[in-house]
DNA sequence: TAATGTGAAGCCTTTCACAGCA
DNA sequence: TGCTGTGAAAGGCTTCACATTA
């Protein structure tokens, strides 16, 4: 392994590899080749090898990859070798959906706190999380919660964003496109449902009527 | 404008431009330069011009772009010049969040139907949409609903995906990574909340403890 | 003058081909 | 022989610089 600037796209694929590997590990399987893993996930085998090669040499020629070891390595690369905690702000439908989503745990992630500014919601329990007033955001650092999830309506997005940054989080997953993401040192990943939906028609072939 | 293979990334940015332009249009503003639009959205002015140039020449040197005209052009490119309809399958928290999300309309998109297989949910009204049994999916084509949104739990994702494809949709927005997306002619965009959240730690600097 | 539109350069990512190892 | 790891080629996207146009 030589020095390479690691493509962001390679990092983006690592969780996919993890998702594919974890069930295999549970089934007790020991090894897998890049070819088989690629088939399983719908990737190319050379891309999988290349991606891993950016981070080190994890396989054995002729044998493939030891699944347990590979999982450990990917966890380490993604800094998921300790449980990471996130705070969610905005307990509406979307917030509830995220809070109840069971899929974070397998990666070693935990949504550990929830905040809202609606007195009717504060105090409510979702699973083992009690909704807190947003003013409590300042306690995040003390509680070792390093990540924020924004699920508030558009109007409240900017102030929520600022509050999370002030609270000292290191990264934010935002479901709102309604805040500026300045040149902060906080990594922000934005998901905009509408924008993803809206570009589907572009990819559809012309209608039959138009074609005659 | 010469022939160019249009970058997918350029298509992905078009809805952003639309989002920036629509409020300006409502405010009655007539023109905007690529420089000002870039500043507004946090892009580069040359990228905006380049993106537009893939599709045509919409501006006037010395003047900038006519906002109304530009909006029409982008709508046309994205095939949003007529209202597009989507059907949502899976009326859980996430499904409700999507159904109640007000942000589709400005783009000319409408979530026009909702389906579930839970008898307790069928018949329920959300806004002006009544939840239907999934067996009704076969009526989509007749109802001019060309797009599907998958918000079901992981276990049901594959069968929902197949049902939507059988129902003749042209594109699918899926919130589940739990289905194969074969080499179908149906465009699929997948959003996986967990995978986006999970790669945030990668981008955080090493902890203070580790640095001494 | 002020701003667009675009060829070309530069950069990043994917794909290829194969050396090297078990 | 089978499979990994990786330089190098190919491809795609972004950035630049400037000719061009109102």
């Amino acid at each position: 392994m030589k020095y390479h600037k690691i493509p962001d796209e390679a990092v983006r694929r690592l969780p996919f590899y993890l998702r594919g590997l974890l069930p295999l590990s549970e089934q007790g399987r020991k090894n897998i080749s890049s070819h088989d893993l690629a088939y399983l996930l719908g990737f190319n085998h050379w891309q999988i090898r290349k991606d891993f090669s950016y981070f080190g040499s994890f396989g054995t020629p002729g044998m493939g990859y030891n699944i347990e070891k590979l999982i450990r390595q990917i966890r380490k690369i993604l800094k998921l070798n300790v449980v990471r905690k996130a705070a969610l702000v905005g307990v509406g439908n979307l917030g509830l959906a995220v809070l109840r989503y069971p899929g974070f745990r397998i990666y070693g992630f935990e949504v550990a706190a929830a905040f809202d500014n609606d007195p009717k919601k504060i105090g409510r329990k979702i699973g083992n999380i009690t909704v807190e007033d947003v003013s409590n955001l300042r306690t995040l650092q003390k509680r070792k919660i390093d990540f924020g999830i924004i699920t508030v309506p558009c109007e409240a997005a900017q102030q929520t964003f600022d509050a999370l940054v002030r609270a000292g989080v290191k990264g934010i997953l935002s479901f709102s496109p309604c805040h500026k993401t300045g040149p902060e040192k906080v990594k922000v990943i934005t998901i905009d449902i509408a924008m993803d939906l809206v570009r589907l028609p572009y990819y559809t072939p012309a209608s039959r009527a138009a074609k005659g």
Side-chain angles (χ1 to χ4, degrees), chain A residues 1 26 77 80 106 115 118 120 122-123 138 147-148 177 186 201-202:
Chain A
M1 175 201 176
E26 275 175 31
I77 295 163
L80 294 170
I106 61 161
F115 299 85
D118 181 348
K120 277 178 288 187
I122 293 163
R138 67 182 67 171
F147 302 93
V186 176
Y202 174 85

Side-chain angles (χ1 to χ4, degrees), chain A residues 105-182:
Chain A
R105 264 294 164 64
I106 61 161
Y107 296 104
F109 227 103
E110 184 188 352
V111 181
F115 299 85
D116 208 297
N117 62 1
D118 181 348
K120 277 178 288 187
K121 286 176 182 164
I122 293 163
R124 181 172 167 192
K125 285 200 83 172
I126 295 113
N128 52 1
I129 292 171
T130 304
V131 179
E132 304 167 51
D133 189 283
V134 286
S135 63
N136 279 16
L137 276 173
R138 67 182 67 171
T139 65
L140 289 188
Q141 231 160 3
K142 211 178 299 173
R143 293 153 78 182
K144 310 265 188 205
I145 297 176
D146 289 335
F147 302 93
I149 304 173
I150 298 178
T151 48
V152 301
C154 228
E155 314 84 66
Q158 186 65 54
Q159 68 190 80
T160 301
F161 182 85
D162 296 341
L164 280 168
V165 172
R166 271 201 307 278
V169 299
K170 296 172 182 166
I172 293 174
L173 178 66
S174 172
F175 285 86
S176 173
C178 301
H179 53 77
K180 292 252 181 253
T181 59

Side-chain angles (χ1 to χ4, degrees), chain A residues 13-210:
Chain A
R13 285 186 291 265
L14 291 180
F16 282 87
Y17 301 149
L18 203 49
R19 172 183 283 274
L21 290 164
L22 287 168
L24 298 177
S25 163
E26 275 175 31
Q27 288 161 28
R29 184 162 167 185
K30 297 299 175 211
N31 294 282
I32 192 166
S33 68
S34 59
H35 206 286
D36 289 355
L37 184 58
Y39 180 77
L40 192 75
L41 294 168
F43 288 98
N44 296 311
H45 52 97
W46 58 77
Q47 179 148 65
I48 288 181
R49 289 201 304 281
K50 189 66 162 180
D51 281 352
F52 291 158
S53 84
Y54 291 121
F55 302 100
S57 300
F58 307 141
T60 309
M63 288 292 285
Y65 299 88
N66 176 286
I67 291 172
E68 286 298 328
K69 183 183 160 195
L70 190 53
I71 289 172
R72 269 201 312 281
Q73 295 285 2
I74 297 175
R75 282 222 145 95
K76 194 170 155 194
I77 295 163
L78 290 171
K79 302 188 189 172
L80 294 170
N81 41 356
V82 299
V83 174
R84 300 291 176 179
K85 294 183 185 172
L88 179 141
V89 187
V91 188
N93 286 299
L94 182 56
L96 277 175
V98 175
L99 281 170
R100 291 191 174 134
Y101 184 65
F104 300 120
R105 264 294 164 64
I106 61 161
Y107 296 104
F109 227 103
E110 184 188 352
V111 181
F115 299 85
D116 208 297
N117 62 1
D118 181 348
K120 277 178 288 187
K121 286 176 182 164
I122 293 163
R124 181 172 167 192
K125 285 200 83 172
I126 295 113
N128 52 1
I129 292 171
T130 304
V131 179
E132 304 167 51
D133 189 283
V134 286
S135 63
N136 279 16
L137 276 173
R138 67 182 67 171
T139 65
L140 289 188
Q141 231 160 3
K142 211 178 299 173
R143 293 153 78 182
K144 310 265 188 205
I145 297 176
D146 289 335
F147 302 93
I149 304 173
I150 298 178
T151 48
V152 301
C154 228
E155 314 84 66
Q158 186 65 54
Q159 68 190 80
T160 301
F161 182 85
D162 296 341
L164 280 168
V165 172
R166 271 201 307 278
V169 299
K170 296 172 182 166
I172 293 174
L173 178 66
S174 172
F175 285 86
S176 173
C178 301
H179 53 77
K180 292 252 181 253
T181 59
E184 302 275 358
K185 46 189 176 298
V186 176
K187 172 76 178 179
V188 181
I189 294 176
T190 302
I191 296 174
D192 186 332
I193 299 170
M195 290 198 187
D196 286 321
L197 179 60
V198 136
R199 69 197 159 87
L200 278 175
Y202 174 85
Y203 296 98
T204 64
S207 69
R208 275 157 296 165

